[in-house]
Amino acid sequence: MLLLALDTATPAVTVALHDGDAVIASSSQVDARRHGELLLPAVDRVLAEAGLRLDAVTGIVVGIGPGPYTGLRVGLMTADTFGLALGVPVHGVCTLDGLAYAADIEKGPFVVATDARRKEVYWATYADSRTRVTGPAVDRPADIADRVAGLPAVGAGALLYPGTFPQAHEPEHVSAAALASLAAERLAAGEPLPEPRPLYLRRPDAQVPKNYKVVTPK
């Protein structure tokens, strides 16, 4: 097994290689505006670090969000392209699940929350680092304060809104290393993984104006 994992659902552009036993190379850069520019060089970098070629990969793992439309689709389209070109399966993993897996919290329940912009968070609750209980969902922090009161939390959304998440912990962003490790564990156990389809949870920011004026001749 050689899994190439990547995620662009958060400001982190993150890539990793997993050989079925452990992560053998990884790269993460935080830049919310350069997903498309940074992703492929990161893939080249982890392959070079591992001394491997792309055609050695036996499967692709991609974070499916939730996340903003523009960033999320960069990773998903790249994963689909690699899968088609190499003839290997493409597996999805919820980005919040990757954060939960990497969280330094011994036992649950706890919350994972990422920044959804518009003063909202993408969030989910977990019984432990591998078991999601509710979500993912998108809400304003104040609207879910009662539901997450008293729970430890991880992720950029938790760190951004300490009034709702006073027990906020690292990691801030997801790592492809965690996604790859979680996927490898589930694949080895024969557990199904989600389809590589995006969890947007809401409509994209860019929309056609409601009062669109037609200027072409009749």
Side-chain angles (χ1 to χ4, degrees):
M1 177 187 293
L2 183 65
L3 298 176
L4 172 65
L6 51 96
D7 192 294
T8 57
T10 74
V13 179
T14 178
V15 179
L17 282 171
H18 196 291
D19 66 2
D21 293 317
V23 174
I24 59 174
S26 63
S27 171
S28 292
Q29 297 171 270
V30 177
D31 192 328
R33 298 181 181 275
R34 299 174 66 209
H35 291 98
E37 181 180 346
L38 296 175
L39 182 56
L40 291 181
V43 172
D44 288 340
R45 192 159 51 247
V46 298
L47 288 168
E49 181 181 336
L52 296 168
R53 291 165 51 93
L54 184 60
D55 57 11
V57 170
T58 62
I60 310 295
V61 176
V62 61
I64 60 174
Y69 179 81
T70 302
L72 183 53
R73 67 179 178 175
V74 171
L76 286 161
M77 291 303 297
T78 302
D80 280 343
T81 301
F82 282 155
L84 287 170
L86 298 172
V88 300
V90 181
H91 308 286
V93 176
C94 175
T95 298
L96 301 184
D97 290 355
L99 272 162
Y101 187 83
D104 187 20
I105 298 177
E106 293 184 1
K107 60 180 180 179
F110 64 92
V111 186
V112 173
T114 59
D115 183 14
R117 305 174 187 172
R118 303 186 194 175
K119 298 182 179 180
E120 294 178 332
V121 293
Y122 297 118
W123 67 286
T125 60
Y126 292 80
D128 54 53
S129 62
R130 296 167 177 79
T131 309
R132 180 163 19 109
V133 178
T134 64
V138 58
D139 289 287
R140 289 182 177 272
D143 294 341
I144 61 172
D146 291 344
R147 299 170 65 181
V148 302
L151 297 181
V154 299
L159 294 166
L160 191 59
Y161 298 101
T164 299
F165 306 101
Q167 300 181 58
H169 300 263
E170 297 287 344
E172 182 175 2
H173 302 300
V174 71
S175 72
L179 287 178
S181 297
L182 178 58
E185 183 179 296
R186 289 180 172 169
L187 288 170
E191 299 177 14
L193 290 171
E195 292 293 319
R197 298 294 176 262
L199 292 171
Y200 292 130
L201 301 190
R202 67 186 184 199
R203 295 179 63 84
D205 292 332
Q207 298 182 30
V208 176
K210 292 182 178 179
N211 298 321
Y212 183 79
K213 183 178 180 181
V214 178
V215 295
T216 54
K218 296 182 178 179

